[in-house]
Each structure stands twice: as C-alpha cells, then as structure tokens.
Amino acid sequence: MPRVKSKEKSSLLDIYPYSRDAFQYLYDKLTDENFKRPYIIKDKPINAVTGIIWDITQGEPEITEIISTMDKIIGIRSEKTKSRLEKIVDTWLKKAYNLKLQKGYVIHRSFLLKFVKTIYQNYDENIKRAAIYHFDKYNDKNKKKIKRAYENIRLNDLQERYPEFNILDAYAYALITEKFKIKEDDLIEFENIVALLKSPSE
C-alpha cells in the first residue's frame, strides 16, 4: 500500500483512495475459503479489520501480494522504499552482526546512535527516535534469523560433518545479509559450497 511522502510517519488517514474494483478484489480474496486467518471470525468484523491492518503493516507476504495486485488495478506503484536513515541502520547492523558472529562484538543502540550523529548534522530527537525504531525492528529480525539457523536440523548435521567450519554462524550471516533463506534450494547450494571448500584444489 503506497505511503505518502512526508517528514512525519504516515497515518491510516493517508491510505490511498482505492477504486471500487480494487476493494472488490480485496473483499473477494479475504472472503475466499482458502484465505485462513485466526482473526477471521464470523460475526466479529472488528477482529478481521484490525488483523488485516496488522498484517499489512508487518509486511505479511500473502497480504502484500494482494495489496500489490490492488495497486496494479488502479495503476499506482508502492513507494515501499527504505529511507536514507533506515538504510544506514540496516547496513550498520549487518556489519555489526558480522563482527558479533566473528569476534563476539556487543551490539547496542548507543553505538548506533553515536554513528548516526556523525552522519546527520541536523541530528535531533526525531532522528534519534526514528533510528531507535529502525534499530529495534532490524535487530529483532536479525536475532530471529540467527535462531532459525541455529535450530535448523540440516545445518546442524552439516556442522557435525564439517567441524572445522563455523557453519551455523556463516549461514546465520547469510540470512542476515539476505543471500540465503531457510529453504531447500538455498540449503543445498550452501552445502555444495561447503563441499567445494573441503575438496582439494587442483
């Protein structure tokens, strides 16, 4: 769903006035029997409304695809692009997690804010709050990615087969940098890469 360009965060009042056809598409999708969500409860429409809004703001893939189709129906393009500050925070955290996984680097908000201060001459409370918001969002995502790598049975088996390599942290970092995902094709490709590292060079 497109966002209105503004120095302030957008409100629900800023939602684009979609056409009747676009909302009909949304209605058809949400009432389809194959669309299953715990908040879709008969005679409790408020549950569905709040649930859908939550899924949209969290970027839930299936909902995102539905909204993207609505955008195409009325010929608009979502402006879901990262702000400069968000890119800075994301990049900083990726580098910080590389150091954390390699050398046990401690990641803390205060370190990020000190870095952001060196970039923004007009650094103020608004920038600080926004930086903290982005830090918390991406830091939480990165922690979950590391957990997924550590708990993956296939990766743990691979770690046992190649104890000389730090398989789990390497894949965790690949998830953080979005080079790989926890899916069959990526796991196979990573396993092949590890095997090549182990094979003797000609």
Side-chain angles (χ1 to χ4, degrees):
M1 189 168 292
R3 297 182 301 183
V4 175
K5 291 183 179 180
S6 171
K7 293 182 179 179
E8 302 295 331
K9 292 181 181 179
S10 296
S11 161
L12 286 176
L13 295 173
D14 297 319
I15 292 178
Y16 191 90
Y18 284 91
S19 67
R20 183 180 295 276
D21 288 341
F23 273 109
Q24 183 63 53
Y25 174 82
L26 176 62
Y27 176 82
D28 292 342
K29 283 293 184 180
L30 300 186
T31 55
D32 189 290
E33 62 179 10
N34 294 319
F35 184 82
K36 300 184 184 300
R37 288 293 187 280
Y39 48 73
I40 304 294
I41 303 172
K42 186 177 181 180
D43 300 327
K44 289 188 178 181
I46 190 63
N47 291 36
V49 172
T50 55
I52 290 299
I53 291 175
W54 170 260
D55 278 353
I56 291 173
T57 59
Q58 299 306 303
E60 200 280 331
E62 188 176 6
I63 301 298
T64 299
E65 185 176 346
I66 291 173
I67 299 300
S68 295
T69 302
M70 291 174 66
D71 291 346
K72 291 177 183 177
I73 289 173
I74 59 175
I76 62 174
R77 183 176 62 84
S78 172
E79 295 179 0
K80 193 171 179 59
T81 55
K82 292 180 181 178
S83 66
R84 179 176 179 237
L85 179 58
E86 188 173 359
K87 289 179 181 177
I88 289 171
V89 174
D90 185 23
T91 301
W92 185 91
L93 273 171
K94 285 176 181 176
K95 293 179 179 178
Y97 268 94
N98 179 273
L99 293 174
K100 177 182 176 65
L101 293 170
Q102 283 196 60
K103 304 176 182 179
Y105 179 83
V106 176
I107 298 175
H108 197 273
R109 284 178 183 171
S110 60
F111 301 153
L112 168 72
L113 295 178
K114 185 180 294 186
F115 176 72
V116 172
K117 279 183 181 180
T118 65
I119 297 176
Y120 284 86
Q121 293 182 343
N122 60 334
Y123 181 86
D124 58 16
E125 195 63 28
N126 289 330
I127 293 176
K128 179 181 178 180
R129 282 198 298 268
I132 290 175
Y133 169 80
H134 292 311
F135 174 91
D136 289 345
K137 181 176 73 172
Y138 283 100
N139 194 41
D140 183 60
K141 285 184 178 180
N142 291 340
K143 287 179 180 178
K144 289 178 180 177
K145 288 177 180 179
I146 291 175
K147 184 179 180 181
R148 285 199 294 271
Y150 286 3
E151 293 179 348
N152 185 270
I153 296 174
R154 187 163 185 164
L155 289 175
N156 277 277
D157 289 342
L158 192 62
Q159 181 67 78
E160 290 183 8
R161 285 162 48 199
Y162 299 98
E164 68 273 31
F165 297 135
N166 191 349
I167 300 295
L168 297 178
D169 283 346
Y171 207 91
Y173 185 66
L175 291 176
I176 289 172
T177 56
E178 300 176 343
K179 304 301 181 185
F180 287 100
K181 295 181 179 179
I182 296 290
K183 61 179 185 178
E184 184 70 12
D185 290 347
D186 285 352
L187 290 167
I188 291 174
E189 185 174 350
F190 183 76
E191 193 169 340
N192 290 338
I193 291 172
V194 174
L196 284 172
L197 289 171
K198 184 67 176 179
S199 64
S201 57
E202 296 183 1

